[in-house]
Amino acid sequence: MMGGLSLSFGAPLVLAGLLALPVIWWLLKLTPPRPQTEAFPPLRILQRVLKTEETPSKSPWWLTLLRLLLAALVIFALAAPTLNPRESVVTGSGPVALLVDNGWASAESWNERVAAARDLIRQAGEAGRPVALAFTAEDSGSDATPVEAATALERLGAARPRPIPADRTGAAERLATGLAGQPVGSLVFLSDGLDAAGTQAAIERLQALAPEQTLTYRPDIGGVVALTAADNSTDALVVDAVRPAGLATGFRADLLAVDPQGREIARTALGFAAGEATASARFEIPVELRNDIARLQLDNAGNAAEVRLVDDSFRRRRVALVSGEPADLAQPLLSPLYYISRALEPFADIVRAQSADLSEAIPALLEQRPSVVVLADIGVLPEEAEDALQAFVENGGYLVRFAGPRLAATTGEDRLVPVRLRGGERQLGGAMSWSEPQTVAPMDEDSPFAGIAVPDDVTVSRQILAEPSADLADRTWASLADGTPLVTAETVGAGTIVLFHVTAEATWSNLPISGAFVEMLRRIVSQSRAEAGAPQTGETAAESLAPYRVLDADGRLTAPGPEVEPLDPAADTAITRSHPPGLYGSEDGYRALNLFGADAELAPLPDIASGANSELRAYESGESVDLAPWLFALALFLFALDALALLLMNGGLSRIRDTVTTRSRSAIPGLVFVLMTSALAVTFAPGKAEAQTTLSEPPRVDAATTIEDVERAVKATETTHLAYVETGDEALDEISAAGLSGLSQFIQAKTALEPGEPMGVDIESDELAFYPLLYWPIDASTPMPSEQAISRVDAYMKQGGTVLFDVAGDALTGFGTGQVSAGQRRLRDILGDLDIPPLEPVPNDHVLTKAFYILDSFPGRHSNSELWVESLVPDAEGTMRPARGGDGVSSIMITSNDFASAWAVDDAGLFLFPTDSSDPMQREYAYRAGVNIVMYVLTGNYKADQVHVPALLERLGQ
């Protein structure tokens, strides 16, 4: 053993060759002297014909060491060394039976388990023994009949860990059935190290086979952790976890809260002290963030038990509020729902009734699938509403009621209260009164309100009393100091009815203005299930939930396989291959099925005594490595170094350099011929045949076109340019260019904006995003744009651009009525393929009327058409304001006033076209309309800001 690794030799006698290393050293130390080259005259050659005898000199020490190392490597390689060798552990002569755990706990150590099983199967194959293989997380149809080692290896390679508990009893039964009474030579249990239900029964069943040898493999379970519960309480999210009992070392890891997109929301520490089997972690984050959590998991989770999925019941609840009194907007503190709304809004979605008719309002609220319905002082309910609420509660909803004068005056039987109520009310100074207001008694430990501290200054002066009954104490969640109930509750079906015996506002008690009231409501809402009380249609039983996403053995959400079956939400479903942990339902709503419940425990695998020839082993880490190829490769490398060293010492490199220098010129033509021949061969050689693949010449890039596009992009973005759509009609395009040029000059003279020259745009190919406004003259004589061009314009409008359509023809008085011109028909054809919002003529309070000039119309060369823009949503307050605050700029404007002709000027600045009116102000207003349009497109709803309202009001004279 060396550093935890073992080394063995297949031919250890070869190592005796190491004794020859001293002889090799003696032979290698002798080497001939390095030849020297000298320049000398011919006569000196004759003088030195008779030379003195030369004796070999010693070789350099480093060269001798290199050769000795090379020889040693060859000897070691011939000895067949193996790193981390696998010893043969299988004995006997009968079949080898392998029981392999592949449940959730095997995921992290699966590679070690497979390596051990593969080694055992190979040993059985070398001995010619069949192998029976059974996995503990497979279905009953899995075959465990003994097969050849090669077939067993194939089955082992196809096996995968499952995110479900191990069924060792079923696997042992399959193994015994497959052996069919054959004498078992070796029985091997490759366990995950944890105890499980049926383990002892499985061992007894296998021991009945009387194996000659029993091996049990058990891994280290110090890092095995399972998340068992997640409580999204009022003050924090608490996550519980367990690990195997009796571990002498501690454990610590980071616990992550992750949203549906896999982004980390929060991180906290989860730690187990030495000897502890349970631990808890707290996420003290706002409720709003907790409602975004999709799953809880350990950092770098390695199995399904380290992931805790959460479903709709964990998230933000929807609470429906219904009051017996109308809301008082002038005095909101007197509203029955004011304090409830303030208490619930930070962590729940509030929906309110839209009708005073409860027979319509309550069913409409229930269609929104709330978790909780709150009724504030409602005495008598219509039959339709009462039936709907009854079904809501029975299906899992929470109904919270508050007392009040109406409920106190109810004389009939009420099905939707948790206890029988006395008629009338108990109040300070009344017939059923107390001498002083009562305080709230401490919350009972068994109450859902346990732990909520009610201040001593919270008192009750009026309440509705409950009739005494044997189960009144069990239904009481909170009581007053005199023992009378303050809050009662009853479970009805799958839901709960809760009654506060005081009002929801501060007339009967000051409880609603205390912090305890907020905590009590939050506790009730947190116990409800999201959308659990939604009304059902058809059968009363809940429909099964289809698998949506399931966890794999590594704790990752994946698509469900064909073996996963729908989940019955009303049944207590066990985790199996048919129902693995995951999400069941749909994207709109699902239920989380987790591997462990809150009462789960983990225990290490007990010692298994199965006779004298039994052994407990640990999984060996690392694979066996044959070192011989690596040693031979290293020896070959050293041999190359030795050859290079000889060349350096004997001057071989200098001679090679001289030879190359002499022959390089003569070799160049031959080298060129070889390269040309190779290139031709590659060019005309047949290509490799591949399905659905065609070899084509790469597209040519026109350098001029590319440079032109770049120059156009730079020109379009270096300053603001007004753009017009090139229609293909040269005369019409010239008018558009002249019109936008005249408008640009007017804008430059009247505003701080200095636009560049207008640019024509081909909507089929040009980039449109460079221009804030596209002027598009519509004429029936021009070609119809292609679908691709219209799609590009649609994308431009969706990305914030504005298109101004100017239609040739009659005035636009509406769409879809009366006779229309040919230009308007062409506009309809274009708009039919565009995703446009509803349109309306520019209203008097639109930002367009005040973007720069104050205008009441938008004339061009003609003045008989209105300017149509996107319809604005009416103000929520219903009040009139001088400017509406829309969220964006209208993506479309339509007119037939021929703006371009009114704006058009020649090079001398003269107008090209007359206006309908001889009044020169029409052209002035046309320019002002253009300025307002451009400023509106560039600045949006800047003028709608409240800071400008006083100035606008003053200028309007209002």
Side-chain angles (χ1 to χ4, degrees):
M1 299 289 292
M2 299 181 300
L5 298 176
S6 58
L7 182 67
S8 66
F9 295 91
L13 294 179
V14 178
L15 296 177
L18 295 174
L19 299 176
L21 289 180
V23 178
I24 297 175
W25 170 78
W26 183 78
L27 293 174
L28 293 178
K29 74 175 184 176
L30 302 178
T31 184
R34 177 180 178 181
Q36 298 180 357
T37 302
E38 297 182 1
F40 52 90
L43 293 178
R44 294 191 63 181
I45 297 176
L46 299 178
Q47 296 177 359
R48 300 179 60 182
V49 169
L50 188 61
K51 296 184 178 180
T52 60
E53 184 180 356
E54 296 180 352
T55 60
S57 62
K58 295 181 179 180
S59 65
W61 65 270
W62 54 270
L63 183 60
T64 302
L65 180 62
L66 178 67
R67 292 173 175 176
L68 288 175
L69 182 58
L70 189 153
L73 287 175
V74 172
I75 294 173
F76 273 105
L78 293 175
T82 302
L83 183 64
N84 195 25
R86 300 291 188 184
E87 60 177 322
S88 180
V89 297
V90 176
T91 62
S93 57
V96 177
L98 272 66
L99 182 67
V100 183
D101 273 341
N102 66 327
W104 67 267
S106 65
E108 294 186 81
S109 59
W110 179 248
N111 292 333
E112 298 177 0
R113 189 169 292 100
V114 169
R118 184 182 296 114
D119 187 61
L120 293 169
I121 295 174
R122 286 173 178 171
Q123 293 178 30
E126 292 172 358
R129 301 167 62 181
V131 178
L133 189 60
F135 297 94
T136 60
E138 302 300 329
D139 53 26
S140 58
S142 179
D143 185 19
T145 304
V147 295
E148 295 181 354
T151 305
L153 286 174
E154 292 178 359
R155 292 183 181 179
L156 179 65
R160 294 292 183 269
R162 306 283 186 183
I164 61 177
D167 180 16
R168 291 167 179 162
T169 304
E173 189 63 34
R174 294 195 303 273
L175 199 58
T177 303
L179 291 169
Q182 301 181 46
V184 179
S186 299
L187 174 62
V188 184
F189 180 24
L190 299 167
S191 75
D192 57 21
L194 295 179
D195 194 9
T199 299
Q200 189 60 36
I203 296 302
E204 293 175 357
R205 181 69 178 91
L206 294 176
Q207 286 177 352
L209 301 176
E212 300 177 15
Q213 177 194 26
T214 302
L215 299 176
T216 302
Y217 284 77
R218 186 164 58 185
D220 179 22
I221 57 174
V224 177
V225 175
L227 304 182
T228 58
D231 180 18
N232 193 5
S233 59
T234 303
D235 54 345
L237 167 60
V238 181
V239 182
D240 296 331
V242 298
R243 68 169 183 163
L247 298 180
T249 59
F251 177 83
R252 182 181 178 86
D254 285 344
L255 185 64
L256 309 182
V258 183
D259 69 0
Q261 286 73 39
R263 297 170 298 193
E264 179 181 330
I265 295 178
R267 177 187 295 256
T268 189
L270 175 67
F272 293 84
E276 287 186 352
T278 60
S280 297
R282 293 172 60 88
F283 289 96
E284 296 183 351
I285 56 178
V287 177
E288 291 79 7
L289 290 179
R290 281 185 261 154
N291 288 328
D292 292 335
I293 296 175
R295 68 180 185 270
L296 303 157
Q297 65 181 50
L298 292 184
D299 195 10
N300 299 320
N303 61 65
E306 295 177 354
V307 177
R308 187 79 183 175
L309 300 174
V310 297
D311 53 22
D312 300 339
S313 64
F314 183 86
R315 294 181 177 84
R316 191 181 186 94
R317 310 300 198 271
R318 179 175 290 123
V319 179
L321 304 182
V322 183
S323 172
E325 298 180 4
D328 190 347
L329 299 178
Q331 296 179 324
L333 296 181
L334 299 180
S335 171
L337 302 179
Y338 175 79
Y339 298 102
I340 300 175
S341 301
R342 295 294 299 271
L344 297 179
E345 280 176 349
F347 66 98
D349 293 329
I350 305 298
V351 292
R352 292 179 171 83
Q354 300 299 316
S355 173
D357 186 353
L358 297 181
S359 61
E360 297 178 0
I362 290 180
L365 287 174
L366 297 182
E367 288 180 357
Q368 301 184 48
R369 305 177 68 86
S371 302
V372 180
V373 174
V374 179
L375 303 182
D377 190 21
I378 294 181
V380 179
L381 284 166
E383 185 176 357
E384 297 86 350
E386 188 174 12
D387 293 341
L389 287 174
Q390 182 76 23
F392 165 79
V393 175
E394 292 177 351
N395 291 329
Y398 266 60
L399 175 62
V400 181
R401 303 189 66 175
F402 284 87
R406 291 178 175 82
L407 185 60
T410 302
T411 58
E413 188 71 20
D414 195 337
R415 293 182 293 166
L416 299 179
V417 291
V419 294
R420 291 187 61 186
L421 302 178
R422 288 186 177 181
E425 61 185 79
R426 183 185 184 190
Q427 59 180 318
L428 188 65
M432 297 183 298
S433 66
W434 47 76
S435 58
E436 59 183 13
Q438 291 290 303
T439 58
V440 180
M443 301 298 176
D444 190 79
E445 294 182 356
D446 297 331
S447 170
F449 297 150
I452 298 178
V454 181
D456 295 336
D457 56 354
V458 173
T459 59
V460 176
S461 58
R462 300 171 68 179
Q463 71 174 140
I464 289 182
L465 291 176
E467 291 285 357
S469 64
D471 58 353
L472 179 59
D474 296 334
R475 299 186 181 187
T476 300
W477 285 8
S479 60
L480 300 180
D482 63 354
T484 55
L486 175 64
V487 180
T488 56
E490 179 189 15
T491 300
V492 178
T496 304
I497 299 176
V498 182
L499 172 63
F500 281 77
H501 290 243
V502 294
T503 58
E505 27 78 25
T507 55
W508 287 23
S509 168
N510 60 355
L511 176 65
I513 61 176
S514 69
F517 183 73
V518 177
E519 293 298 323
M520 293 166 74
L521 289 180
R522 288 188 177 185
R523 194 74 62 89
I524 293 172
V525 173
S526 64
Q527 291 182 351
S528 65
R529 293 186 297 173
E531 301 185 0
Q536 297 184 356
T537 59
E539 299 294 333
T540 57
E543 297 179 356
S544 60
L545 302 176
Y548 173 53
R549 295 287 187 272
V550 295
L551 285 177
D552 63 7
D554 297 325
R556 296 170 299 194
L557 280 174
T558 60
E563 72 278 3
V564 183
E565 299 177 357
L567 180 71
D568 183 0
D572 188 8
T573 306
I575 301 294
T576 61
R577 284 197 62 184
S578 300
H579 297 102
L583 304 176
Y584 292 79
S586 64
E587 185 179 0
D588 298 330
Y590 46 76
R591 176 182 173 184
L593 183 63
N594 287 290
L595 193 58
F596 289 105
D599 56 348
E601 296 180 355
L602 298 180
L605 184 70
D607 293 336
I608 300 175
S610 57
N613 195 15
S614 64
E615 184 180 356
L616 180 65
R617 302 179 63 88
Y619 292 103
E620 298 178 8
S621 60
E623 294 283 346
S624 297
V625 180
D626 185 7
L627 297 180
W630 298 97
L631 295 178
F632 277 122
L634 183 58
L636 183 62
F637 175 72
L638 294 182
F639 182 79
L641 289 180
D642 181 85
L644 182 62
L646 288 178
L647 286 175
L648 291 174
M649 294 174 60
N650 296 328
L653 291 181
S654 62
R655 290 196 297 273
I656 292 174
R657 183 177 61 252
D658 295 341
T659 302
V660 172
T661 303
T662 304
R663 299 181 178 180
S664 59
R665 293 183 179 179
S666 61
I668 289 176
L671 180 61
V672 172
F673 175 77
V674 171
L675 292 177
M676 292 181 63
T677 304
S678 301
L680 291 174
V682 172
T683 302
F684 294 101
K688 180 180 179 181
E690 294 184 3
Q692 303 299 328
T693 303
T694 56
L695 299 178
S696 59
E697 182 181 0
R700 297 182 178 180
V701 179
D702 191 344
T705 302
T706 304
I707 296 175
E708 180 182 352
D709 292 341
V710 172
E711 292 178 350
R712 180 182 178 88
V714 172
K715 179 181 179 181
T717 54
E718 64 183 357
T719 188
T720 301
H721 293 269
L722 303 181
Y724 62 92
V725 174
E726 295 177 346
T727 61
D729 185 331
E730 184 176 354
L732 187 61
D733 292 344
E734 289 178 356
I735 294 175
S736 298
L740 293 185
S741 176
L743 178 61
S744 298
Q745 296 175 25
F746 188 87
I747 291 174
Q748 185 173 1
K750 300 296 183 179
T751 71
L753 176 63
E754 297 182 359
E757 284 297 317
M759 301 180 66
V761 174
D762 183 358
I763 59 176
E764 299 281 352
S765 58
D766 289 342
E767 177 59 55
L768 307 180
F770 299 146
Y771 314 100
L773 176 68
L774 283 183
Y775 178 78
W776 190 343
I778 303 297
D779 194 295
S781 62
T782 59
M784 178 70 183
S786 66
E787 293 183 1
Q788 180 183 2
I790 294 179
S791 178
R792 298 179 78 248
V793 172
D794 185 67
Y796 165 77
M797 296 167 64
K798 283 183 169 61
Q799 294 169 356
T802 299
V803 180
L804 173 57
F805 293 96
D806 203 337
V807 185
D810 299 334
L812 295 177
T813 58
F815 293 95
T817 60
Q819 298 294 326
V820 295
S821 64
Q824 293 180 20
R825 283 194 295 270
R826 173 55 55 84
L827 176 64
R828 287 183 178 182
D829 295 338
I830 295 175
L831 297 184
D833 294 329
L834 289 175
D835 183 18
I836 61 172
L839 304 177
E840 66 175 352
V842 174
N844 294 331
D845 57 354
H846 198 281
V847 178
L848 264 172
T849 64
K850 308 160 183 68
F852 192 85
Y853 294 101
I854 296 179
L855 301 174
D856 55 8
S857 62
F858 297 86
R861 184 184 180 188
H862 312 299
S863 59
N864 55 351
S865 174
E866 304 207 41
L867 179 63
W868 292 74
V869 294
E870 290 184 18
S871 298
L872 290 177
V873 178
D875 296 332
E877 297 85 353
T879 58
M880 296 300 295
R881 294 187 295 169
R884 294 189 182 183
D887 289 334
V889 175
S890 177
S891 60
I892 183 173
M893 301 181 189
I894 303 176
T895 188
S896 63
N897 282 337
D898 194 3
F899 281 140
S901 296
W903 300 333
V905 295
D906 58 13
D907 295 337
L910 301 177
F911 302 123
L912 296 179
F913 302 97
T915 60
D916 289 345
S917 173
S918 58
D919 187 356
M921 288 304 297
Q922 179 173 337
R923 194 181 303 275
E924 175 69 19
Y925 284 130
Y927 275 117
R928 292 184 180 185
V931 172
N932 273 25
I933 291 173
V934 173
M935 290 301 159
Y936 167 67
V937 170
L938 294 178
T939 64
N941 290 318
Y942 163 72
K943 287 294 184 178
D945 198 318
Q946 290 294 314
V947 71
H948 298 284
V949 171
L952 293 174
L953 288 173
E954 181 179 355
R955 294 190 63 186
L956 289 170
Q958 297 181 0

